[in-house]
Amino acid sequence: MYSKEHVSELGEFLKECRAQLSPRTVGLPESGAPRRVPGLRREEVARLAGISTHSYARLEQGRAPVSRPTLTALVRVLHLDDDQRDHLFELAATGEREPRRRPAQKVHPRLRRILDELTATPALVLGRQLDILAWNALAAALLTDFDQVPEKKRNYARLLFTDPAFRELYLDWRTNARICVAHLRLEAARHPGDPGLAALVGELSVADADFRLWWAGRQMTGLRMGTKRLRHPLVGDLTLDWDSLTCTADPAQKLVTATAAPGSPSHDGLLFLASWTADPHTPAGDATA
């Protein structure tokens, strides 16, 4: 059995994906006649995937189990990228799961040690729902003083959507904000009905019209880390390469770092911030502080 939430999410996601394609995109002839729906029809997707129209319709309605070969065929037919593929497979997972609040995450000791060693590189540890579990001094100097944020409010998406100063840092705010929405949507697919995530999504939906629109849109933005442009009040504009490393001991925690090309103005800016915040008696922070 599918959970009710999965039925809706899976069907809407498939509809959204086929609406983005044209017959020409998938090699079908176009008759020129008006189409009642945007993108591909159900019968066209079914034919290309090698299943009956009836079976595909039941799949969109959540009334039929989905085999792995069928999912793989749909990935090909709908031209899904890696993130969309992962999302489809998560939504197609079967079995009722009881909504329950999961234990609060604490930064893993190994990541804590790495943070303590990183003095010239901004770094923070993000949890499964983008909760900020830990950070080093340079990350606080670059982004915000996380110690001043109540522990239960230390969430990257919440800050990005609701904190005006945090939001103003990002010259490419919309791109970063949509990546956050995509991450939370994948988390919702993995853990449908999670009370903590539901509360966060509800809060951000009320607080921000863009979040509300993007959450309802069901489009998947690539989750890969990349270049971000910031306008820092002390050192000016910075172009930084952000990378995410998954903790092998706890894959639900990721170490996120920011670097700049040596000799670049952005690298000089980070070095200035590092010297400005240098204090051998000040350890990196975490959610237990």
Side-chain angles (χ1 to χ4, degrees):
M1 291 287 293
Y2 290 108
S3 69
K4 291 182 179 179
E5 184 169 341
H6 268 51
V7 169
S8 174
E9 287 281 332
L10 177 61
E12 291 299 323
F13 181 66
L14 288 171
K15 292 174 189 175
E16 180 74 29
C17 290
R18 65 182 173 88
Q20 304 302 314
L21 298 173
S22 68
R24 180 179 299 176
T25 303
V26 296
L28 293 176
E30 295 191 72
S31 65
R35 300 174 72 86
R36 291 183 300 171
V37 295
L40 298 179
R41 301 185 180 99
R42 280 181 174 176
E43 56 267 28
E44 291 170 333
V45 174
R47 184 165 70 252
L48 291 168
I51 59 178
S52 70
T53 301
H54 177 69
S55 296
Y56 180 76
R58 285 173 57 83
L59 194 158
E60 278 199 359
Q61 295 161 4
R63 297 191 294 119
V66 194
S67 68
R68 190 174 186 87
T70 296
L71 289 174
T72 301
L74 289 173
V75 169
R76 171 182 53 79
V77 170
L78 296 173
H79 293 201
L80 303 188
D81 62 25
D82 290 343
D83 297 315
Q84 292 171 320
R85 175 192 178 281
D86 292 344
H87 191 54
L88 176 66
F89 273 78
E90 289 287 350
L91 290 176
T94 58
E96 291 283 353
R97 282 170 275 188
E98 287 295 323
R100 60 186 178 86
R101 189 174 295 276
R102 289 172 288 171
Q105 287 181 286
K106 299 297 182 183
V107 61
H108 194 279
R110 295 180 187 177
L111 295 184
R112 169 80 281 161
R113 291 199 297 268
I114 295 174
L115 281 178
D116 290 339
E117 293 295 327
L118 293 175
T119 58
T121 300
L124 62 159
V125 177
L126 297 181
R128 52 186 169 244
Q129 297 172 11
L130 299 179
D131 292 320
I132 300 167
L133 304 181
W135 60 92
N136 64 7
L138 192 48
L142 178 66
L143 300 175
T144 191
D145 186 353
F146 297 110
D147 277 322
Q148 299 303 311
V149 181
E151 180 179 345
K152 292 185 178 180
K153 297 293 184 179
R154 288 181 195 145
N155 178 278
Y156 188 85
R158 179 183 285 112
L159 289 172
L160 201 59
F161 279 98
T162 66
D163 186 307
F166 198 84
R167 181 175 182 142
E168 285 296 318
L169 279 172
Y170 290 86
L171 296 175
D172 47 2
W173 178 86
R174 292 179 67 85
T175 299
N176 289 282
R178 297 199 73 163
I179 289 174
C180 285
V181 173
H183 179 96
L184 294 178
R185 181 162 291 288
L186 280 176
E187 185 65 18
R190 296 186 184 105
H191 301 280
D194 179 272
L197 181 56
L200 176 63
V201 170
E203 174 190 343
L204 297 183
S205 295
V206 171
D208 190 271
D210 283 325
F211 183 93
R212 193 161 57 246
L213 176 67
W214 296 333
W215 185 262
R218 293 183 169 82
Q219 291 187 3
M220 295 298 297
T221 305
L223 302 180
R224 305 291 180 257
M225 305 303 285
T227 300
K228 299 178 189 276
R229 297 181 301 119
L230 282 69
R231 178 158 291 164
H232 193 275
L234 187 62
V235 295
D237 290 0
L238 299 170
T239 299
L240 303 175
D241 295 322
W242 291 76
D243 292 286
S244 176
L245 307 175
T246 299
C247 178
T248 55
D250 181 0
Q253 297 189 30
K254 298 184 185 301
L255 176 69
V256 181
T257 62
T259 59
S264 67
S266 295
H267 186 256
D268 293 341
L270 288 182
L271 291 178
F272 177 81
L273 276 181
S275 64
W276 183 63
T277 59
D279 183 349
H281 303 294
T282 303
D286 61 42
T288 62

